[in-house]
Amino acid sequence: LSGAGRIGLYGQGLDTLFCIFESEDLDMLNKIGVIGGGNIGGVLVQEAARRKLAKTVALMDVLEPDFAKGKCLDIAEGTPIVGIDAEIEGARDYSVLEGSEIIINTAGVPRKKRPDGTIPTREELLRTNLNITDQVAQGIMKYAPDATVISLANPLDAIVYTLNKKMKPSKN
């Protein structure tokens, strides 16, 4: 996982993702940033802290009222019980990601039933999540331009492609 500005695609689940981190001969990172505080994002923050992958784990989510901050406070409350000494930060703006060495993107809306019972098509989901991805790319480029980026947001292929086009990472 050396090299700045990489965008990765990991589709084998969270255990595989964390095994990649843990199998590398890495020192503890200074900071890991997670974008999107839903079910996956919240678990990522908790597991990154529990596995002592970074001194600081940051979560960014646009949901009000301070959803990310609340989720991080909930996680932080339990850290002394399990011997975790990581700082856990949450915010509604991308500045919380500043200095992150790794960014994990989970931002986007899930594919769920509408009130009328219909389910959005992949194309409808894509339209919405590409708009979110534009904001994600801008936030990463502004606050963590040298971070390695791992995207888990759906539809995965289109989101990774869009991040790559928008961010134009170096080819190292």
Side-chain angles (χ1 to χ4, degrees):
L1 289 174
S2 62
R6 290 180 25 189
I7 296 176
L9 169 62
Y10 296 95
Q12 299 298 318
L14 296 180
D15 281 338
T16 302
L17 175 66
F18 285 118
C19 286
I20 290 167
F21 287 130
E22 291 169 343
S23 68
E24 297 283 334
D25 238 355
L26 299 174
D27 292 329
M28 181 185 283
L29 298 170
N30 285 319
K31 190 171 191 177
I32 292 175
V34 177
I35 303 171
N39 293 329
I40 301 297
V43 169
L44 285 167
V45 170
Q46 184 174 353
E47 284 298 303
R50 186 181 71 79
R51 295 176 190 229
K52 300 177 179 160
L53 298 177
K55 296 173 187 165
T56 302
V57 183
L59 174 64
M60 184 275 164
D61 197 299
V62 298
L63 288 180
E64 294 186 30
D66 287 329
F67 176 79
K69 189 180 281 186
K71 187 162 274 206
C72 287
L73 285 171
D74 288 345
I75 294 168
E77 287 286 320
T79 59
I81 296 167
V82 291
I84 297 170
D85 190 25
E87 184 177 341
I88 303 171
E89 307 172 333
R92 289 190 64 226
D93 62 87
Y94 288 92
S95 64
V96 74
L97 303 174
E98 190 163 14
S100 294
E101 296 161 272
I102 293 177
I103 300 282
I104 305 171
N105 173 43
T106 69
V109 296
R111 196 170 178 193
K112 59 184 177 185
K113 284 185 182 179
R114 297 179 183 124
D116 67 0
T118 62
I119 298 173
T121 66
R122 185 178 190 276
E123 290 74 23
E124 291 169 324
L125 180 69
L126 177 62
R127 225 181 345 265
T128 301
N129 285 347
L130 284 179
N131 290 333
I132 294 168
T133 300
D134 288 343
Q135 297 166 6
V136 167
Q138 290 171 14
I140 294 170
M141 289 186 300
K142 182 173 182 180
Y143 292 105
D146 295 327
T148 296
V149 177
I150 301 167
S151 189
L152 304 174
N154 282 314
L156 191 62
D157 55 341
I159 300 300
V160 170
Y161 177 81
T162 301
L163 279 174
N164 189 54
K165 288 300 231 182
K166 298 272 181 194
M167 295 178 63
K168 299 179 179 110
S170 61
K171 299 193 188 268
N172 59 357

